[in-house]
Amino acid sequence: MGVDHTEPEVPEDAVGRRVSCDGERATVRYAGPVPPTAGLWLGVEWDNPERGKHDGSHNGVKYFTCRHPKGGSFVRPGKVSFGVDYLTAVEQQYVYEVELSNKSYIDLEGRSKKLSFEMLTSVLLCGCEVNGSGPDGEIRKTTPQVQSLDLAKTLMSCWEDVSSITQQLDQLEVLQLSSNRLRLLSEPSAHSEAFIRLKTLALNSCDLTWPQILECAPMWPQLEVLSVEKNNITELLRPEGVLQMLKTLSLSGNSLIQDSVLTIAALPRLEELNLTRTGLTLTDLRFDDAAPGSLTAMFPALKNLYLDHNNISEWRVVDEFAKLRSLVKFSCLGNRLVSNDGNPRTATQLLIAKLGKLVFLNRCEIHPDERRGAELDYLKTFGEEWLKAGGGLQPDSTFTCQHPRYLSLIDKYGAPEEGELKKPEAFALKNQLLKIVFVFPDDAERKPIEKKLPTSMVVQKVKGLLYRLLKVPAVDLKLTYTSPKMEGTEFEIDNDLKSLQFYSIEDGDQVLVRWS
């Protein structure tokens, strides 16, 4: 630590405040001397612990505490910014000129427009150094029409800072607060008037637990959409008396405890639930209030369920989802649901046949002909098992548990005749080969390469093949793929140890190859 004799004024309440330094965000944990050096130092805990040097100690003296052993640093006050108030940030973001006493708005792309702050319905201050509201009542006078406000990655330190702004925005319905670190309130319900019209709230990457979110929830009595992705949420708890208006909840990117998922099943209006990349296997998921083939009272309004990139491998889990009375959209890309023949198309057909009310699967609409074909194939494929289980309308309970929709499909199409029954295909290489077209979007002169590869081939070996073809080191290769079913969408292939089947790559898909 060097000596800096310039000491800018530091707020009296510096400890606990948020600051920026060299483009990074941090929280002040200490303000004072650090002998033997002279002058004032700020001890900060970085949001990104890799930016730090120590745990708050210097020369054997503990000045502050960090959660990460290398998450702290000492910096001079002159190196940090404590930020500006809301209206100053608005002025900095939305630059004004004065022309003959009329205000002319110049947006960030240099376009000149007649506009005043009073006309703004959306204010975008993402990444700006907002630290609070500023003078009392000025926000209500200056930006009274704001309905959508983006305060992601600012320098607000606590929920009081947020509510001091939002209580002056009577029309506010959408609030983005991601990538902040906000201290909790002692009485959250006392601030509910500040969020009385709020319908949509994003708190992604805010280092929050689920109990902390429930603690804050009394502030948001009308909330319908809540995104809390990439937080520290593990165990879910039942929302008692809060979040009862919620229609959409995204928990993506949190490492959830398996058996806690059903604690949110009683949310009466929840229509959409995003559980992608949460590490779930759901092996023990059971809607015990409903027998196989019946409907559960849990998740009564749930229409859309997203479970992409998890570790689901048991078809029994899919049969449980069939009990959801309102489910019409389901996505489970990047899981380990495998059919007996190892063919991804067969696995897709099984999903369609098992989930009878589904309209969209893996973000693609299910056409009537596709559903009919899948259900008829299902009848024929498992017809022998049905006959061995006793056939008729009362096969043994083991078969009914494994195939809860089978009898309803017989009602729909009639029982399969013995000559129609399919013998299960062996898990042979010929049943697993995929025709894949490799394309090179950054090299217009290179022609596409078509290869037939087994579905079990891991990405690492695919890159090895490409190295032999392109002479580009595997470590430099970046792969994505596109499917004719979802034109215009690229899916990342980001784990070298996963197979092509894991990524739900199908026959005829294109793999896009780029390198650095």
Side-chain angles (χ1 to χ4, degrees), residues 448-467:
I449 299 174
E450 184 177 303
K451 291 287 181 180
K452 286 191 175 183
L453 304 176
T455 60
S456 59
M457 191 173 191
V458 296
V459 174
Q460 189 176 51
K461 291 189 176 181
V462 175
K463 287 185 175 181
L465 170 66
L466 290 168
Y467 166 69

Side-chain angles (χ1 to χ4, degrees), residues 51-94:
R51 176 68 171 79
K53 297 179 179 178
H54 52 69
D55 65 351
S57 301
H58 180 64
N59 287 345
V61 179
K62 189 78 167 179
Y63 290 90
F64 63 97
T65 301
C66 289
R67 286 182 304 171
H68 193 281
K70 295 277 189 180
S73 297
F74 289 104
V75 296
R76 290 293 189 181
K79 294 287 188 181
V80 307
S81 168
F82 283 88
V84 297
D85 63 48
Y86 168 87
L87 289 179
T88 301
V90 170
E91 290 173 359
Q92 291 173 349
Q93 188 78 345
Y94 300 88

Side-chain angles (χ1 to χ4, degrees), residues 76 131 146 186 189-190 199 242 259 291 321 336 341 352 360 365 375 400 404 414 434 441 487:
R76 290 293 189 181
N131 63 14
V146 172
S186 56
S189 57
K199 299 290 181 64
V242 294
D259 58 5
F321 293 144
R336 294 182 292 168
D341 64 1
I352 293 171
F360 288 86
E365 187 173 3
E375 291 177 343
T400 304
L434 298 174
E487 292 185 6

Side-chain angles (χ1 to χ4, degrees), residues 425-481:
E425 291 188 62
F427 194 74
L429 182 62
K430 67 178 183 180
N431 297 323
Q432 303 177 65
L433 289 179
L434 298 174
K435 183 179 73 176
I436 293 176
V437 180
F438 293 100
V439 296
F440 312 93
D442 296 338
D443 188 350
E445 296 183 1
R446 192 178 293 273
K447 294 181 179 179
I449 299 174
E450 184 177 303
K451 291 287 181 180
K452 286 191 175 183
L453 304 176
T455 60
S456 59
M457 191 173 191
V458 296
V459 174
Q460 189 176 51
K461 291 189 176 181
V462 175
K463 287 185 175 181
L465 170 66
L466 290 168
Y467 166 69
R468 292 192 293 275
L469 294 171
L470 306 174
K471 305 306 178 188
V472 175
V475 70
D476 294 334
L477 294 173
K478 181 182 178 183
L479 307 183
T480 60
Y481 79 94

